[in-house]
Amino acid sequence: MAESLLQASRQRRVKAMTAAAGSAGRAAVPLLLCALLAPGGAYVLDDSDGLGREFDGVGAVSGGGATSRLLVNYPEPYRSQILDYLFKPNFGASLHILKVEIGGDGQTTDGTEPSHMHYELDENYFRGYEWWLMKEAKKRNPNITLMALPWSFPGWLGKGYNWPYVNLQLTAYYVVAWIVGAKHYHDLDIDYIGIWNERSFDINYIKVLRRMLNYQGLQQVKIIASDNLWEPISAFMLLDSELLEVIDVIGAHYPGTHTVKDARMTKKKLWSSEDFSTLNNDVGAGCWGRILNQNYINGYMTSTIAWNLVASYYGGLPYGRSGLMTAQEPWSGHYVVESPIWVSAHTTQFTQPGWYYLKTVGHLEKGGSYVALTDGLGNLTVIIETMSHRHSRCIRPFLPYFNVSNQFATFVLKGSFSKIPELQVWYTRLGTSSERVLFKQLDSLWLLDSNGSVTLELWEDELWTLTTLTRGSKGRYPLPPPPQPFPRTYEDDFNVDYPFFSEAPNFADQTGVFEYFMNPEDPGEHRFTLRQVLNQRPVTWAADASSTISVIGDYTWSNMTIKCDVYIETPVKGGVFIAGRVNKGGIWIRSARGVFFWIFANGTYRVTGDLAGWIIYTSGQVEVKAQEWYTLTLTIKARTASGTLNGKPLWANVRVNFPKNGWAAIGTHSFEFAQFDNFHVEADPVP
């Protein structure tokens, strides 16, 4: 019997070697024989001396800000397909954690996200799209961990200051109300709550937040702090026993795979609570693959969370295509399953939160790294990466040079793993199209006659998963429709009685919040409109503009006509605009250039070359007042622009040399109520 098992083992190993050679090229040829051909490093995988830290999962961020803005507008079946690639277990990225922004009305990188409390006595738990996204994630993976973190806060919490800690109890109430609303209105249990993204923390606020959570029966909600650097939060925790007790996880951003002594001394869980934010090509995938391993090896971080989940915001905004996949064309249905999805799968499909790292993890002799995890029930997963310096640089921090060379690596299974009979093999090779292999399953390795050892030949920019689990799969859908530019003719009358989302499709708010609105006193054509709803500046995270603005369209547009009905609500000081060729958004919105056509309630108009209003092309008097509807039309062609009011020419042939292209936009002079209706844009073909 033993002889027949050995013979079967040899046959399976030769078969595996041959299949691997055919499916993954050179990389897998020596899977079985390389130990006889050349010396290499030997790495023991052993649980005899106990286990390492508990693994908490791999995740991604939606928000910080408005990074999922266009996703909600995708038609079916493409929207569900995208969500499956992100969240469905054993299909794509199969994420363990979803972290969302608690919208605070402020600009938080690529747009604003609406607060559940625009004003002190206002509560609405259906604004925005993060509620929907969390429910979709839970629908696919009921065990997914949910995290939430504020970037900005509504202005009323600051009481005139750009600071959320003016009244600690009030800010804690605001955050706890969001958590309670998630459960009450959406049946969502939030697992972790943060303080203030990449900004100052207040020790007393953290303690107040913990007490208020407990008072509301939310003892199970854990606090993560401070979503910035390891210090000074770690040092404060060591000096303050109460603070040490109330913080469950220390979360650092872009730690470069390293931690600090104080953080380790707290004996708390250490997470890279925001990382990656790199272009999602193969270099970005290499960055992601390297840090998923080395954040634990170098820094004992048991969770790594990517910013961002899906690049679903307009091209031309900051940090374009910095998501695990790309979905920025709801009008066409086109999306791209980028390589970071499959790099994620190497870890996520073969581990779960609650598994444990082995103590025997580390770096390979000639560059690269390996980690091993177990569920404590006999299963083992080993992830090996050999990402080169050139092909794994993240956007931040600076990556010191290192070298990766071709090498043989022998992994020796000991302890409870010594009797494992078989390992499944999944393989990725990043690089040129001729060499590229993404998450391909190779033939399994049979270990009965190898004394529990596996030898691999490793080349640069590879990723291997060896696992006892047989459940992994590379999910596939038919190719989505081909990419198409934003429609050159686009209109929206906002006539939606019961909108599923609070924001109109494809409008991307960059300062302020624009929401569907119903005028109960207007039974006519302006009963349903789009309204700018903020009347004070938020507690900001970025440099929000002084004027509110929402952009739409194609960043490459040059010649266009924008037409919109506008309604100023604020007497005397109120004002609104329509614009074209808007060339900046996101965190750079304050310095946006373009062609802006303004009218004001004091009976004046103005045409400016920038959102701030410093570059004035022309201005004058006009019969305009508040609380009346007007139709503005802006035409930009080549180097001139013209404008009409209610169909009558108001100004013409104004020379505009810069910028050459940009989005269409609507907005208000200040943080004030105003309405927009019957929006229409028509752009010439882009050469």
Side-chain angles (χ1 to χ4, degrees):
M1 181 65 179
E3 289 182 1
S4 63
L5 281 175
L6 286 173
Q7 180 64 26
S9 170
R10 292 189 183 99
Q11 291 174 351
R12 288 192 61 155
R13 297 184 77 186
V14 170
K15 180 181 177 184
M17 179 189 72
T18 306
S23 59
R26 184 278 334 142
V29 174
L31 273 175
L32 315 167
L33 302 180
C34 58
L36 302 175
L37 301 177
Y43 310 95
V44 175
L45 305 176
D46 192 357
D47 60 351
S48 300
D49 191 33
L51 300 173
R53 294 193 175 212
E54 183 181 6
F55 174 65
D56 295 305
V58 175
V61 182
S62 172
T67 54
S68 304
R69 174 67 193 93
L70 298 176
L71 175 61
V72 298
N73 305 142
Y74 265 80
E76 294 294 352
Y78 310 115
R79 189 172 71 176
S80 290
Q81 292 173 4
I82 295 164
L83 294 165
D84 284 349
Y85 280 117
L86 294 168
F87 300 118
K88 186 177 179 179
N90 305 313
F91 190 85
S94 305
L95 295 171
H96 304 133
I97 300 170
L98 172 60
K99 178 178 179 179
V100 302
E101 175 180 354
I102 298 179
D105 295 334
Q107 169 61 247
T108 54
T109 301
D110 289 300
T112 69
E113 296 203 23
S115 170
H116 58 291
M117 298 178 71
H118 291 319
Y119 331 109
E120 192 164 3
L121 299 179
D122 163 61
E123 291 188 51
N124 184 323
Y125 298 94
F126 294 91
R127 293 188 182 120
Y129 36 85
E130 303 296 2
W131 312 107
W132 165 83
L133 185 61
M134 287 188 285
K135 287 189 288 188
E136 291 294 326
K138 278 285 187 181
K139 185 190 301 181
R140 288 160 175 80
N141 178 7
N143 297 319
I144 197 167
T145 298
L146 296 179
M147 301 175 61
L149 174 67
W151 266 251
S152 65
F153 296 84
W156 59 270
L157 283 172
K159 298 189 179 297
Y161 297 92
N162 197 45
W163 191 245
Y165 306 128
V166 174
N167 185 320
L168 303 184
Q169 286 75 18
L170 199 59
T171 299
Y173 167 78
Y174 166 82
V175 171
V176 171
W178 187 92
I179 297 172
V180 172
K183 180 63 175 177
H184 181 76
Y185 293 100
H186 303 284
D187 197 26
L188 293 168
D189 293 302
I190 305 302
D191 299 292
Y192 291 88
I193 189 68
I195 308 305
W196 188 13
N197 182 73
E198 295 176 353
R199 297 294 182 264
S200 300
F201 60 88
D202 183 289
I203 292 173
N204 290 324
Y205 168 72
I206 298 173
K207 296 174 182 178
V208 168
L209 178 61
R210 179 73 269 168
R211 289 196 292 270
M212 193 169 292
L213 287 167
N214 293 347
Y215 180 77
Q216 291 292 332
L218 298 169
Q219 290 85 354
Q220 79 282 1
V221 179
K222 297 179 175 64
I223 291 178
I224 178 170
S226 66
D227 281 294
N228 198 349
L229 304 175
W230 295 118
E231 299 288 14
I233 188 66
S234 300
F236 279 117
M237 290 171 67
L238 293 173
L239 294 171
D240 186 329
S241 59
E242 184 184 355
L243 184 67
L244 182 67
E245 182 180 355
V246 301
I247 293 176
D248 299 280
V249 177
I250 304 178
H253 288 192
Y254 308 95
T257 77
H258 293 280
T259 184
V260 298
K261 182 179 178 181
D262 280 355
R264 295 192 298 272
M265 287 178 63
T266 65
K267 301 190 183 304
K268 294 289 185 175
K269 288 179 178 290
L270 308 177
W271 289 8
S272 177
S273 53
E274 185 179 312
D275 220 324
F276 182 62
S277 72
T278 301
L279 183 68
N280 58 21
N281 57 13
D282 275 11
V283 174
C287 152
W288 186 230
R290 177 175 56 80
I291 64 178
L292 281 177
N293 267 20
Q294 296 192 27
N295 274 349
Y296 182 74
I297 295 166
N298 300 337
Y300 303 99
M301 287 165 265
T302 55
S303 178
T304 298
I305 299 172
W307 187 90
N308 57 70
L309 174 72
V310 53
S312 205
Y313 43 98
Y314 283 120
L317 288 171
Y319 303 102
R321 280 186 53 199
S322 290
L324 297 180
M325 64 181 292
T326 303
Q328 55 191 25
E329 289 189 19
W331 47 88
S332 72
H334 180 73
Y335 63 85
V336 183
V337 184
E338 310 280 6
S339 47
I341 289 288
W342 304 119
V343 168
S344 304
H346 272 275
T347 298
T348 57
Q349 290 200 21
F350 309 107
T351 60
Q352 285 297 320
W355 283 42
Y356 280 82
Y357 286 98
L358 303 193
K359 290 181 178 178
T360 49
V361 300
H363 294 274
L364 301 172
E365 285 186 4
K366 295 186 178 181
S369 67
Y370 67 98
V371 295
L373 301 96
T374 181
D375 62 355
L377 301 174
N379 284 308
L380 175 69
T381 292
V382 184
I383 304 110
I384 306 149
E385 61 83 18
T386 57
M387 300 303 161
S388 64
H389 183 272
R390 185 163 61 98
H391 290 135
S392 71
R393 282 177 290 189
C394 305
I395 194 170
R396 64 180 82 98
F398 171 77
L399 180 63
Y401 181 76
F402 60 86
N403 187 57
V404 176
S405 303
N406 300 346
Q407 59 192 300
F408 295 105
T410 299
F411 296 90
V412 182
L413 279 57
K414 292 191 173 182
S416 69
F417 310 120
S418 62
K419 302 300 182 184
I420 289 176
E422 186 178 19
L423 289 174
Q424 309 299 314
V425 182
W426 291 81
Y427 174 74
T428 286
R429 174 80 187 274
L430 302 174
T432 62
S433 57
S434 61
E435 301 173 326
R436 200 169 186 246
V437 180
L438 292 177
F439 197 56
K440 184 175 184 64
Q441 185 171 18
L442 309 182
D443 277 1
S444 60
L445 299 177
W446 196 253
L447 308 179
L448 282 181
D449 60 343
S450 65
N451 296 318
S453 67
V454 175
T455 303
L456 308 176
E457 183 184 12
L458 306 175
W459 282 22
E460 290 184 12
D461 302 323
E462 293 181 340
L463 198 59
W464 296 78
T465 296
L466 312 179
T467 181
T468 55
L469 299 181
T470 59
R471 66 191 181 201
S473 69
K474 186 174 183 179
R476 289 180 179 86
Y477 284 114
L479 288 175
Q484 295 287 338
F486 193 94
R488 290 191 294 108
T489 299
Y490 183 85
E491 58 187 13
D492 195 336
D493 60 11
F494 312 115
N495 289 343
V496 183
D497 202 348
Y498 297 101
F500 192 77
F501 295 104
S502 59
E503 298 156 298
N506 302 319
F507 281 89
D509 303 346
Q510 301 301 308
T511 296
V513 173
F514 295 73
E515 296 179 348
Y516 282 118
F517 181 69
M518 184 182 74
N519 288 305
E521 299 177 359
D522 187 341
E525 65 169 317
H526 299 301
R527 181 171 178 79
F528 298 102
T529 66
L530 191 69
R531 190 187 195 210
Q532 200 295 118
V533 297
L534 301 189
N535 61 359
Q536 58 183 318
R537 186 178 182 82
V539 174
T540 60
W541 182 82
D544 295 48
S546 297
S547 301
T548 73
I549 179 172
S550 186
V551 302
I552 190 170
D554 191 325
Y555 186 75
T556 65
W557 281 349
S558 180
N559 297 333
M560 68 186 87
T561 297
I562 305 108
K563 182 179 180 182
C564 190
D565 297 341
V566 298
Y567 185 87
I568 304 170
E569 296 190 33
T570 305
V572 184
K573 295 183 179 181
V576 297
F577 69 82
I578 62 173
R581 292 187 186 174
V582 178
N583 73 339
K584 290 183 182 179
I587 52 177
W588 313 120
I589 188 60
R590 195 173 182 86
S591 59
R593 297 284 301 274
V595 182
F596 296 82
F597 176 17
W598 312 72
I599 60 170
F600 299 92
N602 64 3
T604 63
Y605 76 91
R606 192 179 305 157
V607 182
T608 68
D610 62 337
L611 178 60
W614 293 104
I615 304 169
I616 300 176
Y617 290 139
T618 187
S619 61
Q621 301 292 316
V622 64
E623 292 186 8
V624 167
K625 62 181 179 179
Q627 299 173 9
E628 293 282 348
W629 281 99
Y630 300 93
T631 300
L632 299 183
T633 305
L634 169 65
T635 300
I636 309 170
K637 194 168 185 65
R639 296 186 178 183
T640 63
S642 304
T644 71
L645 175 69
N646 292 339
K648 297 180 180 179
L650 184 61
W651 52 277
N653 299 321
V654 168
R655 191 164 183 82
V656 290
N657 294 320
F658 182 85
K660 302 297 184 184
N661 56 273
W663 298 290
I666 57 175
T668 65
H669 176 59
S670 62
F671 288 93
E672 60 184 276
F673 299 131
Q675 296 177 54
F676 303 84
D677 202 0
N678 299 319
F679 177 85
H680 179 96
V681 60
E682 189 163 344
D684 290 352
V686 177

